């Protein structure tokens, strides 16, 4: 798969010779032969019952294997990349996943109509749906995944814990019973002792999960978890268990076949999370001893064999500070983060899935699976980390990614100009890198994140760069509370003054990109448009650097040669030029007082009311990207910008779960007003200021659009 390797059978080589992980415990993990030989079926055409990045990922491997591909798409996805990549594509319904990607009957109709022999569910949607796996089997269609019995047993957390206990896989004790009354669950929580982890029994992906640190907050956290679980899984049954302090999230990639064989592909660390969802993963886990690594792999294989597992799966463990680990759950599907395991073992897990689904054996024995180097995956999301990681949506006005090679992968399902939809997960891409060791892999990750540029919805790229450069992360001191612990470092205050050289380069970029077609920024009462002899052209540019107002005075001495001053300060000598790469991405090479820097720059012309035109500056020297507004003079504004200021609006298109206030209520700043569900996550909309509720613009169950006014507050202060 990757050019740094060559493969002969299941033996992997590079220029240094054979590379494989060895230990006294490494062996082929296989159970007794199956009672009946596995049935071999050829897959000639494959339907991918998913969208976006994972659909594209599966298609690439299928095409490499000579398998035709069939896509399905909702109304809003008709122009998406996965539709264009497929050999055939079928429309299956409106935007709502309940009416499209989760419609089992429609997807099976397409499978039969297209002549597909198999369905690959990807991850999410129907990937862990027992009924869908059984329906595929009933229709004679191969479900590329485990048997429905394994999905069922592992999908109910209380059942899975019982099975794991019998298989001698370590578990955390808790309450997994049928009595689901608030009172009884609270009694059980008291017995276990706080803090308590509350989980939906059918949950996954961090949804329907809450931590209750004290008895006083238990009921509120329980009800929030139930609402989210009902919205995501249609089931609000909960389990509770002891919350491990400073836990690590360590998981093992496993693989089984229809012949009774099972292997593991080592562990991944996915500890750094927000909202109980992963944002950066790595393999192998940092600081894990060889003994612990072997024990993790053996426990994961026991788990797989206990349920007769077939295909790709992940056994997730919570690990304490002494490297003692306990079973958390088993994901009976391909994981989002599977590429890091592929990078360190030189495997293609989707290829393995398709081979095993056709009845073949796992391509390699345990002895032949190497552990080589280190890999990271960073999930690039349309979200605002500075606003509690609020998901975003909207068109990708500009999108440029690092160049790919055998050690750098960009897994994505979108292109420049595509829309990040409010109806689905806001992931833009996964950046995956490999290095000979953790230090070099992490250095590469940080650099390649700097090569990424997204303009449109907010993204988490700058946050990921700060995270990957954090000294505790660099040292491998990771746990699930990493972000709160290092909050001040990861979310630095914006009190630093704007660098004058950066302001000058921005003004230079504004000029070189064609300031002549921008609105005039000179004061009309002092500016003359007539030709004047022997006078230096001078103008003033009003900028806003991430909220900071800056005024740059520009004098053009001669073409390409300027004198600039910032906020009336000292003069700077500025020269520069504009360059464009093969993809049409612009770079400004600007020299300020003898120091030259190259900056990727994207200009966005808003052209709407009072919205300012923007320059998005992406330095190539490790500095963070910055958004700079080109402010219009007051005399050019054509609308009242005060409308709606200080009013609670919907951050995204979504459904109102619960209205918490009524007309006449007095509210304080930060008080919860409305709970809504958007992008599969529950969001609490809080009062942006104190006041009195004049009117409520929504009701429980309403679907509201992004930026819709939810509650109207008057100017009276709350008492």
């Amino acid at each position: 798969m990757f050019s740094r390797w060559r493969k002969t059978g299941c033996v992997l080589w590079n220029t240094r010779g054979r590379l494989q992980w060895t230990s006294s415990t490494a062996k082929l993990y296989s159970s007794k032969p199956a009672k009946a030989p596995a049935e071999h079926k050829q897959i000639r055409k494959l339907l991918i019952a998913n969208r976006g990045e994972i659909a594209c990922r599966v298609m690439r491997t299928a095409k490499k294997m000579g398998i035709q591909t069939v896509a399905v798409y909702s109304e809003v996805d008709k122009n998406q990349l996965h539709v264009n990549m497929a050999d055939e594509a079928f429309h299956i319904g409106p935007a709502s996943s309940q009416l499209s990607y989760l419609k089992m009957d429609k997807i099976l109709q397409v499978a039969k109509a297209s002549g597909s022999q198999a369905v690959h569910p990807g991850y999410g949607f129907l990937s862990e749906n027992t009924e869908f796996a059984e329906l595929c089997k009933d229709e004679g269609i191969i479900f590329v995944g485990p048997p429905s019995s394994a999905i069922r047993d592992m999908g109910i957390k209380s059942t899975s814990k019982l099975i794991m206990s019998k298989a001698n896989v370590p578990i955390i004790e808790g309450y997994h019973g049928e009595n689901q009354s608030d009172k009884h669950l609270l009694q059980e929580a008291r017995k276990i002792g706080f803090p308590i982890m509350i989980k939906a029994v059918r949950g996954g992906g961090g949804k329907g999960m809450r931590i209750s640190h004290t008895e006083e907050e238990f009921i509120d956290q329980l009800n929030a978890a139930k609402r989210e679980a009902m919205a995501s899984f249609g089931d609000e049954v909960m389990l509770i268990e002891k919350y491990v302090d400073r836990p690590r999230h360590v998981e093992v990639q496993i693989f089984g076949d229809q012949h009774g064989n099972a292997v593991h592909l080592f562990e991944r660390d996915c500890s750094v999370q927000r909202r109980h969802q992963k944002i950066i993963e790595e393999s192998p886990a940092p600081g894990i001893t060889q003994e612990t690594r072997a024990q993790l792999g053996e426990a994961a294989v026991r788990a797989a064999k206990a349920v007769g597992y077939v295909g790709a799966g992940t056994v997730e463990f919570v690990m304490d500070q002494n490297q003692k680990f306990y079973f958390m759950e088993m994901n009976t599907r391909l994981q989002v983060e599977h590429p890091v395991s592929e990078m360190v073992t030189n495997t293609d897990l989707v290829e393995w899935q398709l081979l095993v689904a056709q009845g073949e054996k796992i391509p390699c024995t345990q002895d032949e699976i190497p552990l080589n180097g280190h890999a990271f995956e960073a999930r690039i999301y349309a979200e605002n980390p500075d606003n509690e990681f609020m998901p975003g949506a909207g068109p990708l006005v500009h999108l440029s990614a690092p160049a790919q090679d055998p050690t750098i992968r960009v897994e994505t399902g979108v292109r420049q100009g595509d829309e990040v939809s409010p109806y689905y997960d806001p992931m833009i891409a996964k950046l995956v890198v490999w290095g000979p060791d953790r230090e070099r892999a992490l250095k590469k990750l940080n650099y390649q994140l700097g090569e990424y540029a997204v303009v449109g919805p907010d993204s988490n790229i700058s946050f990921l760069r700060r995270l990957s450069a954090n000294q505790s992360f660099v040292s491998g001191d990771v746990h699930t509370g990493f972000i709160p612990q290092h909050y001040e470092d990861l979310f630095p205050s914006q009190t630093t003054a704007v660098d004058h050289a950066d302001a000058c380069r921005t003004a230079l970029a504004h000029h070189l990109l064609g300031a002549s077609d921008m609105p005039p920024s000179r004061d009309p009462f002092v500016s003359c448009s007539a030709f004047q002899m022997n006078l230096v052209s001078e103008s003033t540019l009003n900028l806003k650097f991430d909220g900071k107002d800056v005024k740059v005075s520009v004098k053009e001495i001669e073409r390409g040669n300027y004198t600039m001053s910032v906020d009336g300060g000292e003069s700077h000598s500025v020269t520069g030029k504009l360059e464009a790469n093969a993809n049409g991405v612009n770079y400004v090479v600007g020299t300020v007082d003898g120091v030259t820097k190259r900056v990727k720059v994207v200009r966005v012309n808003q052209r709407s009311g009072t919205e300012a035109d923007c320059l998005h500056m992406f330095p190539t020297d490790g500095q963070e990207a910055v958004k700079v507004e080109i402010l219009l003079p007051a005399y050019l504004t054509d609308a009242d910008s005060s409308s709606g200021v200080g009013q609670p609006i919907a951050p995204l298109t979504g459904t109102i779960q619960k209205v918490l206030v009524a007309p006449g209520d007095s509210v304080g700043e930060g008080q919860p007003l409305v709970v809504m569900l958007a992008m599969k996550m529950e969001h609490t909309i809080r009062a942006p200021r104190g006041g009195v509720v004049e009117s409520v613009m929504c009701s429980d169950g309403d679907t509201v659009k992004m930026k819709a006014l939810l509650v109207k507050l008057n100017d009276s202060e709350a008492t």
Side-chain angles (χ1 to χ4, degrees), residues 199-409:
K199 295 181 184 178
V201 296
R202 297 184 183 275
K207 299 176 180 67
M209 182 185 295
R210 292 292 189 277
I211 299 170
S212 176
H213 294 279
T214 65
E215 181 175 332
E216 289 72 24
E217 68 178 7
F218 179 80
I219 296 300
D220 287 342
Q221 296 287 17
L222 174 64
N223 289 332
K226 284 183 175 181
R227 287 195 301 269
E228 196 169 272
M230 180 58 73
S232 299
F233 315 112
D235 190 327
E236 63 177 11
V237 177
M238 294 286 143
L239 65 82
I240 58 174
E241 59 191 22
K242 182 69 176 177
Y243 177 69
V244 178
D245 188 39
R246 281 178 60 89
R248 291 177 65 175
H249 179 126
V250 179
E251 60 188 33
V252 179
Q253 177 70 58
I254 56 98
F255 214 99
D257 64 25
Q258 299 175 46
H259 303 268
N261 302 313
V263 297
H264 70 81
L265 291 90
F266 308 101
E267 82 285 349
R268 301 184 287 253
D269 192 294
C270 312
S271 297
V272 180
Q273 306 176 6
R274 87 285 186 259
R275 297 196 306 261
H276 304 296
Q277 291 182 307
K278 308 161 190 173
I279 50 175
I280 193 165
E281 302 97 352
E282 59 182 301
S283 183
I288 298 293
T289 66
Q290 289 287 9
E291 181 182 7
T292 300
R293 176 166 294 123
Q295 291 172 352
L296 279 165
E298 291 167 352
V301 170
R302 288 199 301 273
K305 292 165 65 176
V307 292
Y309 201 83
V310 175
T314 299
V315 184
E316 299 190 346
F317 297 96
V318 58
M319 179 179 286
D320 68 18
Q321 299 174 62
N322 298 315
Q323 295 193 13
K324 291 183 178 180
F325 57 89
Y326 308 92
F327 175 81
M328 184 163 52
E329 64 181 359
M330 186 176 191
N331 286 310
T332 54
R333 54 175 167 81
L334 195 66
Q335 290 277 83
V336 177
E337 60 272 20
H338 75 274
V340 293
S341 295
E342 293 180 323
M343 293 291 260
V344 296
T345 60
N346 187 45
T347 52
D348 182 336
L349 292 178
V350 174
E351 181 179 21
W352 281 26
Q353 283 186 299
L354 296 174
L355 292 173
V356 166
Q358 294 176 99
E360 298 186 28
K361 292 184 178 181
I362 299 170
C364 293
T365 67
Q366 189 72 60
D367 282 338
E368 295 168 331
I369 301 174
L371 177 58
N372 181 53
H374 205 97
F376 283 94
E377 174 184 282
R379 302 189 190 189
I380 297 173
Y381 281 104
E383 65 182 14
N384 184 355
D386 294 323
N387 186 21
E388 299 181 345
F389 295 95
M390 178 69 72
L396 292 163
V397 178
H398 173 86
L399 179 64
S400 53
Q404 299 190 61
D405 65 27
T407 67
I408 301 170
R409 289 168 60 176

Side-chain angles (χ1 to χ4, degrees), residues 152-227:
R152 181 187 62 247
D153 290 344
M154 293 296 98
I156 302 176
K157 287 183 170 57
S158 54
T159 303
S160 67
K161 299 245 181 200
L162 180 61
I163 294 173
M164 293 302 103
S165 180
K166 291 180 179 179
N168 198 28
V169 177
I171 65 169
I172 296 177
E173 295 300 326
Y175 176 74
H176 315 137
E178 295 182 1
N179 190 335
Q180 290 287 304
S181 71
D182 292 0
K183 181 179 179 180
H184 185 75
L185 290 175
L186 179 57
Q187 288 175 347
E188 294 294 332
R190 288 177 182 142
K191 292 178 185 177
I192 298 168
F194 290 88
I196 291 291
M197 175 70 80
I198 304 168
K199 295 181 184 178
V201 296
R202 297 184 183 275
K207 299 176 180 67
M209 182 185 295
R210 292 292 189 277
I211 299 170
S212 176
H213 294 279
T214 65
E215 181 175 332
E216 289 72 24
E217 68 178 7
F218 179 80
I219 296 300
D220 287 342
Q221 296 287 17
L222 174 64
N223 289 332
K226 284 183 175 181
R227 287 195 301 269

Side-chain angles (χ1 to χ4, degrees), residues 550-570:
V550 175
K551 182 178 291 186
V552 183
S553 297
V554 182
K555 294 181 181 179
E556 185 170 14
I557 307 303
E558 58 185 11
R559 187 172 182 83
N561 191 353
Y562 308 86
T563 296
M564 300 185 188
S565 63
V566 180
D567 291 334
E570 63 182 34

